Amino acid sequence: MKSELYDTLNRQVLALFEGETDLIAAMANLSALLNEHLSEINWVGFYLAKNDELVLGPFQGKVACVRIPMGRGVCGTAAAENKIQRIADVHQFKGHIACDSASNSEIVIPVIQNDKVIAVLDIDSPNFSRFDEQDQNGLETIVESFEKCLFAQQMHKI
Ligand code: SME
């Protein structure tokens, strides 16, 4: 069941990242964890907010576009509006940036520190409507746990 999957993943996130201070290493491992356990996905990873654009971070999947202007595409919209984007059909999303032509649905979750979007977690699927409300809630909780583990000590540098 999905809720059990997300509960298990959330416990793993808390165990894996508790006390970790290196953001890139943690993002690399969270991408790997999600890639291993989520079915029907073809890309999962991070874009980091740097100087009014998003720059590719740790990920699992095919080669992707390196820079996305803030406000552009699904990722840029999530970052600019600080709002989760759950898109059932990316081809209907105005300005969608197609990195992998196999992608048909997508979810993007902002990563927040001190009320600012410092990155986004992006997950793509070859299925239409791959992500439902349970996925959204589960992934939101995982990103919140990730933020708490990583940023509790305010020691990291991007
Ligand atoms: N589709 C995204 C771009 C990033 S790739 O999917 C990895 C977007 O529209 O922002």
Side-chain angles (χ1 to χ4, degrees):
M1 266 187 23
K2 258 185 196 177
S3 60
E4 282 170 16
L5 169 69
Y6 284 113
D7 283 351
T8 306
L9 283 175
N10 193 46
R11 277 197 299 277
Q12 283 180 277
V13 167
L14 290 167
L16 271 174
F17 303 120
E18 174 73 66
E20 181 51 66
T21 56
D22 192 296
L23 188 63
I24 298 298
M27 286 178 164
N29 257 350
L30 183 52
S31 303
L33 182 74
L34 294 175
N35 191 49
E36 189 179 342
H37 293 285
L38 296 182
S39 59
E40 307 297 330
I41 65 168
N42 60 321
W43 201 93
V44 48
F46 290 89
Y47 280 89
L48 294 147
K50 292 182 185 174
N51 304 325
D52 278 344
E53 62 181 0
L54 294 171
V55 181
L56 185 63
F59 71 95
Q60 305 260 319
K62 282 193 182 172
V63 167
C65 53
V66 173
R67 290 170 195 275
I68 299 175
M70 222 36 109
R72 283 276 310 280
V74 185
C75 291
T77 302
E81 297 181 5
N82 186 1
K83 194 162 171 261
I84 293 178
Q85 302 293 310
R86 179 160 59 92
I87 310 300
D89 177 356
V90 293
H91 310 290
Q92 305 299 320
F93 188 95
K94 198 168 169 283
H96 169 252
I97 301 161
C99 289
D100 183 343
S101 60
S103 300
N104 284 317
S105 64
E106 179 163 6
I107 189 165
V108 182
I109 298 113
V111 180
I112 314 293
Q113 186 190 22
N114 298 329
D115 300 324
K116 270 182 60 184
V117 177
I118 59 132
V120 296
L121 170 64
D122 179 21
I123 311 178
D124 288 5
S125 172
N127 296 3
F128 290 98
S129 305
R130 159 66 181 80
F131 306 100
D132 62 16
E133 212 174 322
Q134 268 192 307
D135 294 293
Q136 178 169 338
N137 293 337
L139 290 165
E140 192 175 13
T141 302
I142 283 171
V143 169
E144 280 167 10
S145 298
F146 184 76
E147 290 165 353
K148 272 184 216 143
C149 288
L150 264 292
F151 306 140
Q153 297 146 47
Q154 305 283 317
M155 278 168 64
H156 79 282
K157 293 264 185 299
I158 295 174

